[in-house]
Amino acid sequence: MSKVKIQTMLGDITVRLYDETPIHRDNFLKLAREGYYDGTLFHRVIKGFMIQGGDPDSKGAPAGKMLGVGGPDYTLEAEIKSDIFHKRGALAAARQGDEVNPERRSSGSQFYIVWGDVYNEGQLRQFSKQLRMQKVQSAFNALAAAHKDEIIQIRRDRNRAGLQELQDKLVAEAESKVGKDGLTEEQLQLYSTLGGTPHLDGQYTVFGEVEDGLDVVEMIQGTATGRADRPLDDIEMRMVVVE
């Protein structure tokens, strides 16, 4: 079991890294051992949402400098697991958006720790419906892309009935793939008690969780921020691998 202690002026945060995400685990350990993170800042903090760090450009960055695009000269293959969630205290990899990063590859160094919110049953049921619709749409888009040549030919033939038939078939297939629910019972339980950010599930790689120091995360996420959600008072970190 691999653990890393993130030391800050507000206290220490000990994170446990998941063996289910070995690429991210090994990369985080390597950078921590090399001192890559030492002197970097929690440069992006959004109250009630998350705290983000790991940008090497944040070392000694003057006030007002825009941060959040730095990193090593590589990204990491996504390790998004269907049974690992964005619960409060989850450690996850930051990344660029889908429009420029359809494979959802992770930043080589930037990470965030989830705070999120606690949701009531009604909110979660509604969110589950919305999430299921998004999943069905995503599955349909993937199926449509796989049938691209067939769709083009049907349109060339101006075969409206054929196009509708294929569309209905793909919608049914997408619905079948996704299933009935957007959120699992485990997710509903987690987000109604511990809290977190359910809308990020399936979108970003979660590769660990806070084992000790969640109170420190709470203090950091409640700090005053300015432009681009950067804390007004720098919150510097150092990392120590716990053997």
Side-chain angles (χ1 to χ4, degrees):
M1 185 184 298
S2 305
K3 299 181 185 180
V4 175
K5 183 179 288 186
I6 305 172
Q7 302 171 323
T8 79
M9 62 184 182
L10 296 175
D12 297 343
I13 304 165
T14 300
V15 293
R16 175 169 56 87
L17 308 180
Y18 295 152
D19 291 336
E20 295 90 338
T21 49
I23 296 172
H24 287 71
R25 177 199 63 201
D26 293 348
N27 180 71
F28 197 74
L29 288 170
K30 174 179 178 292
L31 295 181
R33 288 194 177 102
E34 291 174 353
Y36 185 93
Y37 291 113
D38 295 349
T40 61
L41 307 176
F42 279 104
H43 64 269
R44 183 171 177 241
V45 171
I46 302 177
K47 186 174 177 62
F49 182 38
M50 60 89 204
I51 64 175
Q52 183 172 331
D55 182 352
D57 296 342
S58 67
K59 292 184 183 183
K65 180 179 179 179
M66 294 294 289
L67 299 169
V69 297
D73 59 355
Y74 61 84
T75 56
L76 302 175
E77 179 184 344
E79 294 180 292
I80 298 170
K81 307 296 182 182
S82 61
D83 58 346
I84 300 180
F85 309 119
H86 280 77
K87 64 183 180 182
R88 181 167 291 173
L91 172 68
R95 67 173 179 85
Q96 290 186 302
D98 287 1
E99 65 279 359
V100 295
N101 180 27
E103 295 180 350
R104 295 174 173 169
R105 295 182 67 88
S106 301
S107 164
S109 64
Q110 291 196 43
F111 64 91
Y112 60 93
I113 299 175
V114 171
W115 186 255
D117 203 355
V118 176
Y119 298 84
N120 63 41
E121 184 178 352
Q123 289 173 315
L124 286 171
R125 293 296 177 189
Q126 182 60 34
F127 185 78
S128 186
K129 288 180 183 178
Q130 294 172 352
L131 184 61
R132 182 180 181 278
M133 288 173 62
Q134 291 172 5
K135 287 182 177 180
V136 169
Q137 185 63 55
S138 179
F140 175 81
N141 291 344
L143 290 167
H147 288 77
K148 181 180 176 182
D149 293 342
E150 185 180 353
I151 292 169
I152 289 173
Q153 188 58 51
I154 291 173
R155 284 178 173 164
R156 280 179 182 157
D157 296 340
R158 298 184 179 180
N159 183 356
R160 290 185 180 180
L163 189 61
Q164 186 63 53
E165 182 181 351
L166 178 59
Q167 180 176 305
D168 291 344
K169 175 188 171 185
L170 297 184
V171 167
E173 194 172 334
E175 294 259 3
S176 176
K177 277 189 173 185
V178 169
K180 294 181 179 180
D181 300 312
L183 295 176
T184 66
E185 286 302 317
E186 184 181 357
Q187 286 171 296
L188 293 172
Q189 172 68 17
L190 269 177
Y191 295 128
S192 64
T193 54
L194 182 62
T197 54
H199 64 283
L200 296 182
D201 286 346
Q203 309 293 315
Y204 293 75
T205 297
V206 177
F207 64 98
E209 65 180 80
V210 173
E211 193 168 80
D212 188 46
L214 201 57
D215 57 327
V216 179
V217 177
E218 183 175 18
M219 281 190 282
I220 294 173
Q221 66 93 41
T223 195
T225 56
R227 185 181 176 213
D229 303 309
R230 178 176 170 179
L232 296 177
D233 295 321
D234 287 347
I235 301 173
E236 193 175 302
M237 73 182 81
R238 295 183 65 81
M239 288 197 190
V240 178
V241 175
V242 181
E243 299 292 352

